[in-house]
């Protein structure tokens, strides 16, 4: 499965109403640690059909970043049944990201 880029128009459907657990990445193009995490998320999206990987660009979607009180990026969240069940800030190796699920 490919990564889904979410914004205000599709966030509710893609993340909050998803029947699969969602690994959600709040990121920005200028963020070095975000660029380190990005290929890991692409691998996870390709390998794990049981989860959905979504990304929110905080520069393009400041309302979503504000709603979730994002102050540092990358911020990774796991959303299940419309609820945040796990969250981590900063770059993480693949094993740590997978352990969040």
């Amino acid at each position: 499965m490919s990564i889904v880029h979410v914004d205000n128009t599709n966030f509710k459907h893609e993340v909050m109403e998803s029947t699969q657990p969602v690994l959600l990445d709040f990121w920005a193009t200028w963020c070095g640690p975000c660029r380190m995490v990005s290929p890991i998320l692409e691998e996870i999206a390709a390998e794990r059909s049981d989860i959905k990987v979504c990304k929110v660009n905080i520069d393009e979607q400041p309302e979503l970043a504000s709603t979730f009180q994002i102050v540092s990026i990358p911020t990774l969240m796991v959303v299940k049944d419309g609820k945040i069940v796990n969250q981590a800030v900063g770059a993480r190796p693949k094993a740590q990201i997978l352990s969040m699920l």
Side-chain angles (χ1 to χ4, degrees):
M1 183 180 242
S2 62
I3 291 178
V4 178
H5 293 271
V6 294
D7 57 29
N8 281 328
T9 61
N10 66 352
F11 184 84
K12 182 178 177 187
H13 173 72
E14 294 291 351
V15 178
M16 303 310 280
E17 297 174 349
S18 177
T19 56
Q20 296 177 297
V22 177
L23 178 58
L24 182 60
D25 176 30
F26 287 88
W27 70 287
T29 55
W30 49 264
C31 167
C34 298
R35 289 195 303 269
M36 292 169 46
V37 169
S38 187
I40 297 170
L41 297 178
E42 289 174 17
E43 280 180 32
I44 292 171
E47 295 169 359
R48 297 282 303 265
S49 61
D50 60 321
I51 63 166
K52 184 187 289 188
V53 179
C54 296
K55 295 182 74 132
V56 176
N57 183 323
I58 65 161
D59 290 333
E60 295 173 0
Q61 302 301 318
E63 305 86 13
L64 285 175
S66 177
T67 298
F68 288 93
Q69 300 174 341
I70 304 302
V71 292
S72 297
I73 55 173
T75 294
L76 298 172
M77 292 182 181
V78 177
V79 179
K80 292 182 182 176
D81 301 318
K83 295 178 180 62
I84 299 166
V85 296
N86 211 339
Q87 183 171 334
V89 176
R92 300 271 189 277
K94 185 176 180 179
Q96 282 186 11
I97 294 172
L98 288 172
S99 72
M100 292 175 61
L101 301 167

